[in-house]
Amino acid sequence: MSEVEKKPIDFMGIRKSAAVFSIVLLVASFIIIAVNGLNLGLDFTGGASVELQYETPPELDEVRGTLSDAGYENFVVQNFGNESSVLIRLSEAFDDELAGRVTDALRATGDELELVSSAFVGSQVGEELKEDSGLGLLLALAVVLIYVGMRFQFKFGIASVVPLAHDVIIILGIFSLFQWTFDLSVLAALLAVIGYSLNDTIVVADRIRENFRKMRVGDAEHIINESIHQTISRTLNTSGTTLAVLLALYFFGGEAINNFAIALIIGVVVGTYSSIYVSASLLIALGVTREDMVVPPKEGLVGAEEEEEQPPEWLNRM
């Protein structure tokens, strides 16, 4: 009795439901961003930073409470390098005595500490960072579109860029919803998510192209479904190992990189989903066909395969 061949999971069978789910997430993200905005960090808004070195590791919550009691608002307190080093960032107008006032307020609690350094980020620099970061994200998406369009086909380029924008917008929406601080580390995470999602998308796209050329039976939906089925174990293994590292980074890496880690965690989860459903569903919606995968013949080689290859003259003399 022959073994029954396992049928691949019908990923594309729920593509319409997945499309509705993605649209709902995108619309919700746009609305949340429009209403709440992003909680921009001092990297973008400008302000002062004060680095302190404690004799013994302090409780950060107590440091925050002391600063609040002293009348400071809109500040960030986090460890910097080690548990005894504390970086305080405040949205205060910088002056020569600001660092001294902060230090004195914290010394009043009885803690032994010393001022290491203080700096100021102007609002003009913050505006330039906002503009440059937005242009950087757009440039990254444009480069991806050009690369994938040349590497595969223009339809694949569209089906690669849209999921990347989908992932970035959802991450921004979640950060806006919970009002997590959006700073340069989160921007770096967004660019990393673009690279990670692109890698997944290209693996699936390469298998789709290969199967379109190899499989002679089946429509586009069947071939794409089979391609996802063949790459899903690789995708899940990669995502799982990456998530394990990011979770360790989030729980044990310290507060300074928490937002960076959580942005990547969301990006890996959403990126894995979009590489399976958003990208593949777009290929079907764009009407990808087997003819799109045909390699055009090179000039001068048309009909060359029809000519019988002649042995070299020296071989005929033997």
Side-chain angles (χ1 to χ4, degrees), residues 162-190:
V162 172
L164 299 183
H166 165 278
D167 300 344
V168 169
I169 292 169
I170 290 176
I171 295 173
L172 292 177
I174 293 175
F175 266 75
S176 177
L177 175 64
F178 294 103
Q179 285 296 286
W180 291 329
T181 302
F182 184 90
D183 52 21
L184 287 179
S185 67
V186 179
L187 174 62
L190 290 181

Side-chain angles (χ1 to χ4, degrees), residues 4 52 67 93 97 107 146 156 211 229 241 258 274 277 293 309:
V4 179
L52 303 171
L67 291 174
E97 299 179 355
R107 279 180 180 157
I146 295 171
F156 280 86
N211 284 337
H229 178 73
T241 53
N258 274 4
S274 66
Y277 282 106
M293 306 297 115
E309 185 177 357

Side-chain angles (χ1 to χ4, degrees), residues 49-70:
S49 66
V50 179
E51 184 181 349
L52 303 171
Q53 181 67 42
Y54 278 74
E55 185 74 20
T56 58
E59 290 292 335
L60 296 185
D61 287 337
E62 294 180 2
V63 175
R64 296 185 184 101
T66 301
L67 291 174
S68 296
D69 294 339

Side-chain angles (χ1 to χ4, degrees), residues 5-158:
E5 184 181 355
K6 283 187 177 181
K7 292 184 178 180
I9 301 172
D10 188 13
F11 292 100
M12 293 294 96
I14 61 170
R15 70 179 187 276
K16 293 181 180 178
S17 299
V20 172
F21 177 66
S22 292
I23 292 172
V24 169
L25 286 180
L26 289 175
V27 172
S29 296
F30 279 121
I31 293 174
I32 292 170
I33 294 172
V35 174
N36 291 348
L38 289 172
N39 181 18
L40 297 176
L42 296 177
D43 297 326
F44 297 104
T45 61
S49 66
V50 179
E51 184 181 349
L52 303 171
Q53 181 67 42
Y54 278 74
E55 185 74 20
T56 58
E59 290 292 335
L60 296 185
D61 287 337
E62 294 180 2
V63 175
R64 296 185 184 101
T66 301
L67 291 174
S68 296
D69 294 339
Y72 294 103
E73 299 178 353
N74 299 325
F75 57 81
V76 175
V77 178
Q78 59 193 36
N79 289 119
F80 184 72
N82 56 68
E83 293 183 352
S84 297
S85 296
V86 174
L87 178 66
I88 301 172
R89 295 186 291 178
L90 311 99
S91 58
E92 300 282 333
F94 186 82
D95 60 64
D96 295 336
E97 299 179 355
L98 175 63
R101 293 197 302 270
V102 171
T103 305
D104 292 340
L106 294 173
R107 279 180 180 157
T109 62
D111 290 327
E112 294 292 331
L113 59 100
E114 63 179 20
L115 175 64
V116 178
S117 65
S118 61
F120 174 69
V121 178
S123 58
Q124 183 176 358
V125 176
E127 287 294 330
E128 291 178 359
L129 282 173
K130 281 192 287 187
E131 294 176 3
D132 292 345
S133 61
L135 290 174
L137 287 173
L138 292 176
L139 180 61
L141 294 176
V143 170
V144 168
L145 175 62
I146 295 171
Y147 167 74
V148 178
M150 294 176 63
R151 175 76 168 77
F152 295 95
Q153 206 261 356
F154 186 71
K155 292 177 182 178
F156 280 86
I158 298 295

